[in-house]
Amino acid sequence: PAARRALRADKEGLGPMIRIALADDHHVVRQGIRALLEGVKDFRVVGEAADGKEMVELVMREKPDVALVDVAMPQLNGVEACRRIVRDLPSVKVLVLSMYTGEEYVREALAAGASGYLVKDSAADELVEAIRVVARGERFLSPAVAPIAAKSAATTLLDRLTTREREVLQLIAEGNSNKAIAARLSLSVKTIEAHRTNLMAKLDIHDTASLTRFAIARGLVRTE
């Protein structure tokens, strides 16, 4: 089917179709982005997700060319979703589309393997260009974040954490108790307590409020 789509697109003079999956926890935003992308003849939106977990599942199922993700999403943030997608399906290029331009957000996204970072107030044609660029295997950065990316450190604090620890950190910052986190992740309360202890030791943070501030500063959760 993919070969037939590419051949049909070539006959129309468009080149191969670019298959896109998109994730944003705001339904209206997703619909607006989808409408924009579907207006581009060689773009095809293969699915959309409202959180990071849904996005990872969608990408594994549909294997798009480009995954367009927001940074701050519930359950699993965009950075962690990016990290899992790049690890498990490296052929998929991840483009972060975010309202945040802070250094930590950009650095964490690129360290997670994102191929591009675009701010949400960019023009529509810039989004189209960004998708084409990352689909070719190149990097695309909004002018607003390019200087930040140039000086980003290779290793970040989040890189010290395991995948499970990053997941627990987000759930803690979203206000979940150890019991609630254990139920959501199908783990024991003692295991969650151990993850919490390891988080605090690795980050040199010793209370929940500080863990929450750390997660907010790095775009793992929204402050709305």
Side-chain angles (χ1 to χ4, degrees):
R4 287 198 296 271
R5 285 195 300 270
L7 179 59
R8 183 165 61 251
D10 282 335
K11 286 181 178 179
E12 295 173 356
L14 300 175
M17 296 292 290
I18 297 176
R19 303 174 69 250
I20 304 161
L22 66 94
D24 194 294
D25 60 330
H26 290 113
H27 179 74
V28 172
V29 173
R30 285 202 316 276
Q31 291 302 299
I33 294 173
R34 180 165 194 151
L36 168 64
L37 298 182
E38 289 182 337
V40 181
K41 290 185 177 180
D42 58 331
F43 284 3
R44 181 188 173 204
V45 177
V46 298
E48 56 186 78
D51 61 56
K53 283 184 177 294
E54 286 185 9
M55 185 57 162
V56 173
E57 294 169 358
L58 172 62
V59 168
M60 295 303 125
R61 183 173 66 250
E62 297 293 340
K63 299 178 175 58
D65 300 301
V66 176
L68 186 62
V69 303
D70 190 10
V71 169
M73 294 187 290
Q75 297 198 55
L76 191 70
N77 64 84
V79 171
E80 186 59 33
C82 172
R83 187 176 280 107
R84 296 186 186 188
I85 290 168
V86 170
R87 179 194 66 197
D88 296 338
L89 204 61
S91 62
V92 178
K93 307 304 178 184
V94 178
L95 174 62
V96 172
L97 179 62
S98 175
M99 63 181 289
Y100 302 109
T101 59
E103 182 173 348
E104 288 294 343
Y105 299 97
V106 179
R107 182 189 301 159
E108 299 295 349
L110 297 180
S115 295
Y117 196 106
L118 186 68
V119 295
K120 282 187 174 179
D121 62 358
S122 300
D125 58 353
E126 190 173 3
L127 173 58
V128 171
E129 179 188 2
I131 290 172
R132 294 194 195 284
V133 168
V134 299
R136 293 198 301 265
E138 303 171 18
R139 174 174 282 192
F140 185 97
L141 298 170
S142 286
V145 304
I148 296 172
K151 66 176 184 178
S152 289
T155 302
T156 71
L157 286 173
L158 286 182
D159 289 329
R160 300 179 186 178
L161 308 181
T162 65
T163 297
R164 181 65 80 190
E165 286 167 350
R166 289 190 296 267
E167 191 168 19
V168 170
L169 172 60
Q170 177 172 350
L171 293 172
I172 290 172
E174 289 177 348
N176 295 284
S177 66
N178 287 348
K179 184 176 180 180
I181 296 172
R184 180 172 294 187
L185 300 182
S186 300
L187 298 171
S188 70
V189 173
K190 285 188 176 180
T191 298
I192 299 305
E193 290 173 348
H195 283 312
R196 183 188 286 262
T197 299
N198 290 337
L199 279 168
M200 290 182 172
K202 289 182 178 181
L203 300 175
D204 194 22
I205 294 174
H206 305 292
D207 60 84
T208 300
S210 296
L211 279 179
T212 300
R213 286 194 293 271
F214 175 88
I216 291 171
R218 280 151 183 81
L220 302 188
V221 294
R222 276 204 176 92
T223 56
E224 297 173 351

